[in-house]
Amino acid sequence: SQELEQSPQSLIVQEGKNLTINCTSSKTLYGLYWYKQKYGEGLIFLMMLQKGGEEKSHEKITAKLDEKKQQSSLHITASQPSHAGIYLCGADRGGSNYKLTFGKGTLLTVNP
Amino acid sequence: DAGVTQSPTHLIKTRGQHVTLRCSPISGHKSVSWYQQVLGQGPQFIFQYYEKEERGRGNFPDRFSARQFPNYSSELNVNALLLGDSALYLCASSSEGGTEAFFGQGTRLTVV
């Protein structure tokens, strides 16, 4: 099984709707990274969470870390077509951002 | 400031050939990590270099090698290419003590 499980695998929403993507780790998390990727392109850094209960926001995207559950959620409010892409969570297992373990990603489609 | 730059952006090689991919980190970043992303999967860690020394290696065969130069740029080399090496190769750079890892746009390698 995957060390990092993302759900759902894909998501189609209507523009303006809210959505949540989850990332669950089977191992201890030292840090949890969220990235966005356009198909076939590089990863765009969104947020990094380190402490249990930590919550960060950037524009309409909010991410939370539940340390006890070893889980993070990414919430997008009032989605726009520009939010479309693949969302990847990456885990730092050893207190270093040099070697990240990634989930398979969640493909988000936002219909106008 | 320029972000992480990778070259070439696309490459087509024949089975059995050798390939060299290049990465220039963000100015001031001394750490470079390489990842392989196969279609439909999250990136997988290959190598990490810091101050020209290998600090980490993922579960990849010896056909994969890398090095880092005095200016902190890096090369990833793959020998005896297989069809399964077709993937997007991503480079990430980090600063010492930094919590963020920034990725380049990647090199799309196709092995035919």
Side-chain angles (χ1 to χ4, degrees), chain B residues 85-109:
Chain B
D85 295 331
S86 296
L88 181 67
Y89 288 85
L90 295 160
C91 171
S93 81
S94 312
S95 62
E96 185 177 6
T99 56
E100 299 172 356
F102 296 94
F103 283 78
Q105 285 294 97
T107 294
R108 170 69 62 187
L109 172 65

PDB file of all heavy atoms in Angstrom, chain B residues 85-109:
ATOM      1  N   ASP B  85      12.171   3.888 -18.342  1.00  0.00           N
ATOM      2  CA  ASP B  85      12.781   5.126 -17.843  1.00  0.00           C
ATOM      3  C   ASP B  85      12.059   6.354 -18.381  1.00  0.00           C
ATOM      4  O   ASP B  85      12.365   7.486 -17.971  1.00  0.00           O
ATOM      5  CB  ASP B  85      14.258   5.195 -18.235  1.00  0.00           C
ATOM      6  CG  ASP B  85      15.093   4.105 -17.580  1.00  0.00           C
ATOM      7  OD1 ASP B  85      14.730   3.668 -16.461  1.00  0.00           O
ATOM      8  OD2 ASP B  85      16.092   3.681 -18.193  1.00  0.00           O
ATOM      9  N   SER B  86      11.129   6.151 -19.294  1.00  0.00           N
ATOM     10  CA  SER B  86      10.344   7.267 -19.826  1.00  0.00           C
ATOM     11  C   SER B  86       9.547   7.900 -18.691  1.00  0.00           C
ATOM     12  O   SER B  86       8.759   7.221 -18.019  1.00  0.00           O
ATOM     13  CB  SER B  86       9.388   6.782 -20.921  1.00  0.00           C
ATOM     14  OG  SER B  86      10.103   6.288 -22.020  1.00  0.00           O
ATOM     15  N   ALA B  87       9.759   9.169 -18.468  1.00  0.00           N
ATOM     16  CA  ALA B  87       9.132   9.838 -17.323  1.00  0.00           C
ATOM     17  C   ALA B  87       9.454  11.320 -17.368  1.00  0.00           C
ATOM     18  O   ALA B  87      10.243  11.779 -18.203  1.00  0.00           O
ATOM     19  CB  ALA B  87       9.647   9.248 -16.009  1.00  0.00           C
ATOM     20  N   LEU B  88       8.842  12.046 -16.448  1.00  0.00           N
ATOM     21  CA  LEU B  88       9.207  13.447 -16.212  1.00  0.00           C
ATOM     22  C   LEU B  88      10.233  13.447 -15.080  1.00  0.00           C
ATOM     23  O   LEU B  88       9.967  12.907 -14.003  1.00  0.00           O
ATOM     24  CB  LEU B  88       7.962  14.251 -15.809  1.00  0.00           C
ATOM     25  CG  LEU B  88       8.153  15.745 -15.536  1.00  0.00           C
ATOM     26  CD1 LEU B  88       8.514  16.481 -16.836  1.00  0.00           C
ATOM     27  CD2 LEU B  88       6.890  16.353 -14.930  1.00  0.00           C
ATOM     28  N   TYR B  89      11.396  14.027 -15.324  1.00  0.00           N
ATOM     29  CA  TYR B  89      12.438  14.091 -14.304  1.00  0.00           C
ATOM     30  C   TYR B  89      12.458  15.503 -13.718  1.00  0.00           C
ATOM     31  O   TYR B  89      12.642  16.479 -14.434  1.00  0.00           O
ATOM     32  CB  TYR B  89      13.790  13.702 -14.894  1.00  0.00           C
ATOM     33  CG  TYR B  89      13.849  12.217 -15.170  1.00  0.00           C
ATOM     34  CD1 TYR B  89      13.355  11.692 -16.362  1.00  0.00           C
ATOM     35  CD2 TYR B  89      14.341  11.333 -14.215  1.00  0.00           C
ATOM     36  CE1 TYR B  89      13.357  10.336 -16.601  1.00  0.00           C
ATOM     37  CE2 TYR B  89      14.357   9.964 -14.445  1.00  0.00           C
ATOM     38  CZ  TYR B  89      13.858   9.473 -15.638  1.00  0.00           C
ATOM     39  OH  TYR B  89      13.851   8.114 -15.863  1.00  0.00           O
ATOM     40  N   LEU B  90      12.280  15.544 -12.423  1.00  0.00           N
ATOM     41  CA  LEU B  90      12.149  16.821 -11.724  1.00  0.00           C
ATOM     42  C   LEU B  90      13.341  17.062 -10.817  1.00  0.00           C
ATOM     43  O   LEU B  90      13.852  16.147 -10.182  1.00  0.00           O
ATOM     44  CB  LEU B  90      10.871  16.826 -10.882  1.00  0.00           C
ATOM     45  CG  LEU B  90       9.558  16.747 -11.652  1.00  0.00           C
ATOM     46  CD1 LEU B  90       8.439  16.264 -10.756  1.00  0.00           C
ATOM     47  CD2 LEU B  90       9.207  18.108 -12.235  1.00  0.00           C
ATOM     48  N   CYS B  91      13.733  18.313 -10.763  1.00  0.00           N
ATOM     49  CA  CYS B  91      14.809  18.726  -9.879  1.00  0.00           C
ATOM     50  C   CYS B  91      14.221  19.704  -8.866  1.00  0.00           C
ATOM     51  O   CYS B  91      13.374  20.531  -9.216  1.00  0.00           O
ATOM     52  CB  CYS B  91      15.899  19.402 -10.714  1.00  0.00           C
ATOM     53  SG  CYS B  91      17.190  20.212  -9.779  1.00  0.00           S
ATOM     54  N   ALA B  92      14.652  19.591  -7.627  1.00  0.00           N
ATOM     55  CA  ALA B  92      14.182  20.501  -6.577  1.00  0.00           C
ATOM     56  C   ALA B  92      15.378  21.073  -5.839  1.00  0.00           C
ATOM     57  O   ALA B  92      16.370  20.371  -5.626  1.00  0.00           O
ATOM     58  CB  ALA B  92      13.272  19.769  -5.593  1.00  0.00           C
ATOM     59  N   SER B  93      15.287  22.330  -5.462  1.00  0.00           N
ATOM     60  CA  SER B  93      16.370  22.917  -4.674  1.00  0.00           C
ATOM     61  C   SER B  93      15.839  23.462  -3.359  1.00  0.00           C
ATOM     62  O   SER B  93      14.665  23.852  -3.253  1.00  0.00           O
ATOM     63  CB  SER B  93      17.103  24.003  -5.467  1.00  0.00           C
ATOM     64  OG  SER B  93      16.427  25.247  -5.458  1.00  0.00           O
ATOM     65  N   SER B  94      16.700  23.439  -2.358  1.00  0.00           N
ATOM     66  CA  SER B  94      16.332  23.885  -1.017  1.00  0.00           C
ATOM     67  C   SER B  94      17.501  24.659  -0.431  1.00  0.00           C
ATOM     68  O   SER B  94      18.663  24.397  -0.758  1.00  0.00           O
ATOM     69  CB  SER B  94      16.033  22.697  -0.103  1.00  0.00           C
ATOM     70  OG  SER B  94      15.184  21.778  -0.705  1.00  0.00           O
ATOM     71  N   SER B  95      17.160  25.567   0.475  1.00  0.00           N
ATOM     72  CA  SER B  95      18.225  26.292   1.177  1.00  0.00           C
ATOM     73  C   SER B  95      18.537  25.598   2.490  1.00  0.00           C
ATOM     74  O   SER B  95      17.704  24.855   3.026  1.00  0.00           O
ATOM     75  CB  SER B  95      17.788  27.733   1.441  1.00  0.00           C
ATOM     76  OG  SER B  95      16.635  27.733   2.275  1.00  0.00           O
ATOM     77  N   GLU B  96      19.719  25.818   2.999  1.00  0.00           N
ATOM     78  CA  GLU B  96      20.116  25.196   4.258  1.00  0.00           C
ATOM     79  C   GLU B  96      19.206  25.700   5.371  1.00  0.00           C
ATOM     80  O   GLU B  96      19.075  26.902   5.579  1.00  0.00           O
ATOM     81  CB  GLU B  96      21.570  25.553   4.571  1.00  0.00           C
ATOM     82  CG  GLU B  96      22.106  24.845   5.798  1.00  0.00           C
ATOM     83  CD  GLU B  96      23.577  25.159   6.038  1.00  0.00           C
ATOM     84  OE1 GLU B  96      24.119  26.009   5.300  1.00  0.00           O
ATOM     85  OE2 GLU B  96      24.158  24.581   6.954  1.00  0.00           O
ATOM     86  N   GLY B  97      18.581  24.764   6.062  1.00  0.00           N
ATOM     87  CA  GLY B  97      17.675  25.145   7.138  1.00  0.00           C
ATOM     88  C   GLY B  97      16.316  25.618   6.673  1.00  0.00           C
ATOM     89  O   GLY B  97      15.444  25.911   7.488  1.00  0.00           O
ATOM     90  N   GLY B  98      16.136  25.683   5.381  1.00  0.00           N
ATOM     91  CA  GLY B  98      14.849  26.126   4.845  1.00  0.00           C
ATOM     92  C   GLY B  98      13.809  25.031   4.925  1.00  0.00           C
ATOM     93  O   GLY B  98      14.135  23.852   4.987  1.00  0.00           O
ATOM     94  N   THR B  99      12.560  25.420   4.907  1.00  0.00           N
ATOM     95  CA  THR B  99      11.483  24.431   4.991  1.00  0.00           C
ATOM     96  C   THR B  99      10.817  24.187   3.657  1.00  0.00           C
ATOM     97  O   THR B  99      10.001  23.293   3.538  1.00  0.00           O
ATOM     98  CB  THR B  99      10.409  24.880   5.994  1.00  0.00           C
ATOM     99  OG1 THR B  99       9.930  26.168   5.603  1.00  0.00           O
ATOM    100  CG2 THR B  99      10.972  24.953   7.407  1.00  0.00           C
ATOM    101  N   GLU B 100      11.143  24.983   2.659  1.00  0.00           N
ATOM    102  CA  GLU B 100      10.481  24.832   1.373  1.00  0.00           C
ATOM    103  C   GLU B 100      11.403  24.152   0.365  1.00  0.00           C
ATOM    104  O   GLU B 100      12.612  24.339   0.393  1.00  0.00           O
ATOM    105  CB  GLU B 100      10.062  26.205   0.840  1.00  0.00           C
ATOM    106  CG  GLU B 100       9.070  26.911   1.756  1.00  0.00           C
ATOM    107  CD  GLU B 100       8.810  28.330   1.318  1.00  0.00           C
ATOM    108  OE1 GLU B 100       9.454  28.794   0.355  1.00  0.00           O
ATOM    109  OE2 GLU B 100       7.952  28.980   1.938  1.00  0.00           O
ATOM    110  N   ALA B 101      10.807  23.356  -0.520  1.00  0.00           N
ATOM    111  CA  ALA B 101      11.537  22.729  -1.619  1.00  0.00           C
ATOM    112  C   ALA B 101      10.891  23.203  -2.906  1.00  0.00           C
ATOM    113  O   ALA B 101       9.690  23.002  -3.115  1.00  0.00           O
ATOM    114  CB  ALA B 101      11.476  21.208  -1.502  1.00  0.00           C
ATOM    115  N   PHE B 102      11.675  23.833  -3.763  1.00  0.00           N
ATOM    116  CA  PHE B 102      11.148  24.402  -4.996  1.00  0.00           C
ATOM    117  C   PHE B 102      11.562  23.539  -6.182  1.00  0.00           C
ATOM    118  O   PHE B 102      12.722  23.159  -6.305  1.00  0.00           O
ATOM    119  CB  PHE B 102      11.681  25.828  -5.183  1.00  0.00           C
ATOM    120  CG  PHE B 102      11.215  26.770  -4.110  1.00  0.00           C
ATOM    121  CD1 PHE B 102      11.996  27.008  -2.986  1.00  0.00           C
ATOM    122  CD2 PHE B 102       9.992  27.407  -4.210  1.00  0.00           C
ATOM    123  CE1 PHE B 102      11.571  27.870  -1.987  1.00  0.00           C
ATOM    124  CE2 PHE B 102       9.557  28.276  -3.220  1.00  0.00           C
ATOM    125  CZ  PHE B 102      10.347  28.499  -2.107  1.00  0.00           C
ATOM    126  N   PHE B 103      10.586  23.281  -7.038  1.00  0.00           N
ATOM    127  CA  PHE B 103      10.813  22.396  -8.173  1.00  0.00           C
ATOM    128  C   PHE B 103      10.963  23.155  -9.479  1.00  0.00           C
ATOM    129  O   PHE B 103      10.375  24.227  -9.660  1.00  0.00           O
ATOM    130  CB  PHE B 103       9.647  21.416  -8.323  1.00  0.00           C
ATOM    131  CG  PHE B 103       9.674  20.289  -7.342  1.00  0.00           C
ATOM    132  CD1 PHE B 103       9.275  20.478  -6.034  1.00  0.00           C
ATOM    133  CD2 PHE B 103      10.115  19.030  -7.724  1.00  0.00           C
ATOM    134  CE1 PHE B 103       9.301  19.440  -5.118  1.00  0.00           C
ATOM    135  CE2 PHE B 103      10.146  17.979  -6.823  1.00  0.00           C
ATOM    136  CZ  PHE B 103       9.740  18.192  -5.509  1.00  0.00           C
ATOM    137  N   GLY B 104      11.738  22.561 -10.394  1.00  0.00           N
ATOM    138  CA  GLY B 104      11.829  23.077 -11.748  1.00  0.00           C
ATOM    139  C   GLY B 104      10.689  22.563 -12.590  1.00  0.00           C
ATOM    140  O   GLY B 104       9.821  21.822 -12.105  1.00  0.00           O
ATOM    141  N   GLN B 105      10.704  22.927 -13.863  1.00  0.00           N
ATOM    142  CA  GLN B 105       9.636  22.535 -14.784  1.00  0.00           C
ATOM    143  C   GLN B 105       9.767  21.100 -15.276  1.00  0.00           C
ATOM    144  O   GLN B 105       8.844  20.542 -15.847  1.00  0.00           O
ATOM    145  CB  GLN B 105       9.617  23.467 -15.999  1.00  0.00           C
ATOM    146  CG  GLN B 105       9.032  24.828 -15.704  1.00  0.00           C
ATOM    147  CD  GLN B 105       7.556  24.752 -15.356  1.00  0.00           C
ATOM    148  OE1 GLN B 105       7.181  24.726 -14.182  1.00  0.00           O
ATOM    149  NE2 GLN B 105       6.702  24.713 -16.349  1.00  0.00           N
ATOM    150  N   GLY B 106      10.930  20.522 -15.047  1.00  0.00           N
ATOM    151  CA  GLY B 106      11.107  19.129 -15.403  1.00  0.00           C
ATOM    152  C   GLY B 106      11.652  18.915 -16.801  1.00  0.00           C
ATOM    153  O   GLY B 106      11.593  19.803 -17.662  1.00  0.00           O
ATOM    154  N   THR B 107      12.200  17.734 -17.009  1.00  0.00           N
ATOM    155  CA  THR B 107      12.624  17.268 -18.336  1.00  0.00           C
ATOM    156  C   THR B 107      11.797  16.045 -18.675  1.00  0.00           C
ATOM    157  O   THR B 107      11.779  15.070 -17.915  1.00  0.00           O
ATOM    158  CB  THR B 107      14.116  16.886 -18.347  1.00  0.00           C
ATOM    159  OG1 THR B 107      14.898  18.053 -18.143  1.00  0.00           O
ATOM    160  CG2 THR B 107      14.492  16.237 -19.678  1.00  0.00           C
ATOM    161  N   ARG B 108      11.086  16.123 -19.789  1.00  0.00           N
ATOM    162  CA  ARG B 108      10.282  14.984 -20.237  1.00  0.00           C
ATOM    163  C   ARG B 108      11.160  14.090 -21.081  1.00  0.00           C
ATOM    164  O   ARG B 108      11.579  14.486 -22.168  1.00  0.00           O
ATOM    165  CB  ARG B 108       9.089  15.479 -21.052  1.00  0.00           C
ATOM    166  CG  ARG B 108       8.310  14.376 -21.774  1.00  0.00           C
ATOM    167  CD  ARG B 108       7.553  13.475 -20.845  1.00  0.00           C
ATOM    168  NE  ARG B 108       6.532  14.176 -20.075  1.00  0.00           N
ATOM    169  CZ  ARG B 108       5.830  13.623 -19.094  1.00  0.00           C
ATOM    170  NH1 ARG B 108       6.047  12.379 -18.755  1.00  0.00           N
ATOM    171  NH2 ARG B 108       4.933  14.334 -18.460  1.00  0.00           N
ATOM    172  N   LEU B 109      11.472  12.892 -20.577  1.00  0.00           N
ATOM    173  CA  LEU B 109      12.300  11.927 -21.297  1.00  0.00           C
ATOM    174  C   LEU B 109      11.418  10.830 -21.878  1.00  0.00           C
ATOM    175  O   LEU B 109      10.635  10.206 -21.148  1.00  0.00           O
ATOM    176  CB  LEU B 109      13.337  11.295 -20.358  1.00  0.00           C
ATOM    177  CG  LEU B 109      14.150  10.127 -20.930  1.00  0.00           C
ATOM    178  CD1 LEU B 109      15.035  10.596 -22.082  1.00  0.00           C
ATOM    179  CD2 LEU B 109      15.000   9.460 -19.847  1.00  0.00           C
TER     180      LEU B 109
END
